[in-house]
Amino acid sequence: MSVPVRSDAELIAAHTSGDPHAFSELFRRHRDRLWAVALRTMRDHEDAADALQDAMISAFRNASSFRAESQVTTWLHRIVVNACLDRIRRRQARPTVPLPETGPAEPAVPRDAIAEQDTRMAVQDALAELPEDQRSAIVLVDVEGYSVAETASILGIADGTVKSRCARGRAKLAKLLGHLRNPSADANVPDDAMAMRRREGR
């Protein structure tokens, strides 16, 4: 006889009642998506892992504050996003220079894979240029696929605010990433040839 699968709300209730395994089961159920949100918001694996850990400790300790006015996943995502934004604000207060992730000896990968990685990095860099309120809205709606209503609940703001933040963020991303759609005609022209063009008035 199979054991019935407990709902998220039932797991939260069991956890607050002292079940030592309920929260772990809840976290395993939603770990991948929570991690994706943390990583895309923080842009750094170590920072994302720290933010996710902060969030889960907070959720573990404050599970009794869950009032079932929203879904458990919404509550968890709100805690993760807030933990990420807290870390971003602290990092901005103490800026540091990131170390390069790879050494001089890069592994050989196909050209298409390199281009794909370059595009992915360009998108991540562009997201980092957005104000944190626009970035969190864009990550949840455009990257993770949450609805405007779900995102509003996660961030604790109005639907219209989500829409306006996404609109402003998308407009800025369009400018930052315009070169991916419309590469410059001079992109592959050597520097000396470019200089000659300018001297000749072309």
Side-chain angles (χ1 to χ4, degrees), residues 37-49:
V37 168
L39 183 59
R40 290 188 173 105
T41 303
M42 299 301 298
R43 293 186 62 250
D44 176 90
H45 277 76
E46 186 174 339
D47 286 343

Side-chain angles (χ1 to χ4, degrees), residues 32-45 47-49 80 84 88 91 120 123-128 130 135-136 138-140 142-146:
D32 290 348
R33 204 164 187 190
L34 295 172
W35 167 249
V37 168
L39 183 59
R40 290 188 173 105
T41 303
M42 299 301 298
R43 293 186 62 250
D44 176 90
H45 277 76
D47 286 343
V80 171
C84 289
I88 289 171
R91 187 172 61 191
R120 190 161 52 246
V123 171
Q124 290 175 348
D125 289 343
L127 278 171
L130 298 180
R135 187 195 316 170
S136 56
I138 289 283
V139 165
L140 290 170
D142 291 341
V143 180
E144 291 303 312
Y146 285 98

